[in-house]
Amino acid sequence: MSGFWPIGDEIDIRPLLHALHDRGLKVALPMTPRRGEALTFRGWRPGDALVAERFGTMRPIGEELIPDMLLIPLLAFDAAGGRLGYGGGFYDRTLAALPGRFRLGCGFAAQQVDAVPIGPYDMRLDAVATENGIIRCGG
């Protein structure tokens, strides 16, 4: 399972990451690669040191892991699973390289819009978790 360490005004999923770890799940956080590359993930446990990376992101120093489910930050989303990120394409490349993994966007209900512009390389979400519950995406 991969999560993310929130930056800026992103929804703070750190309590969820702690709860997942406490339930015995292996939790990973992404490492920010060079532009044009997919994310890689390293294991994280509560209390682990984190290393500051570009864009204000933080990454653990644990072992490299390949997640079976991804918790994904977003700027905006729509009911069809369209996701607007920060424009680097990191998650789109990553999701294309990890087919069949469950893709759960994490954000606030106010970030839902009628339609997110989708390009040929944009990967859709399976669902989005907000403070109001889970939205199953289709389309």
Side-chain angles (χ1 to χ4, degrees):
M1 153 100 42
S2 79
F4 59 91
W5 210 254
I7 60 173
D9 292 331
E10 288 179 340
I11 195 164
D12 188 351
I13 66 164
R14 289 177 290 189
L16 174 60
L17 298 177
H18 282 264
L20 293 169
H21 175 268
D22 291 347
R23 286 177 175 75
L25 289 167
K26 283 189 175 185
V27 177
L29 299 176
M31 295 177 50
T32 306
R34 292 184 300 244
R35 285 210 180 268
E37 296 181 5
L39 299 168
T40 56
F41 300 88
R42 297 217 171 253
W44 170 85
R45 294 181 193 139
D48 279 358
L50 296 173
V51 176
E53 294 192 297
R54 296 176 300 144
F55 312 118
T57 60
M58 303 292 286
R59 70 164 172 86
I61 56 175
E63 67 179 313
E64 190 165 331
L65 298 173
I66 299 173
D68 54 1
M69 177 181 174
L70 295 96
L71 304 177
I72 303 169
L74 49 82
L75 291 176
F77 70 95
D78 62 30
R83 172 190 169 270
L84 180 64
Y86 292 97
F90 294 112
Y91 273 99
D92 293 314
R93 281 184 206 84
T94 302
L95 296 174
L98 297 172
R101 298 335 194 262
F102 191 79
R103 308 158 181 189
L104 180 65
C106 299
F108 296 104
Q111 292 173 277
Q112 185 170 4
V113 297
D114 290 337
V116 170
I118 297 291
Y121 299 106
D122 292 332
M123 305 298 289
R124 293 188 182 273
L125 301 169
D126 296 305
V128 177
T130 74
E131 74 278 15
N132 294 336
I134 302 292
I135 300 165
R136 285 274 184 187
C137 299

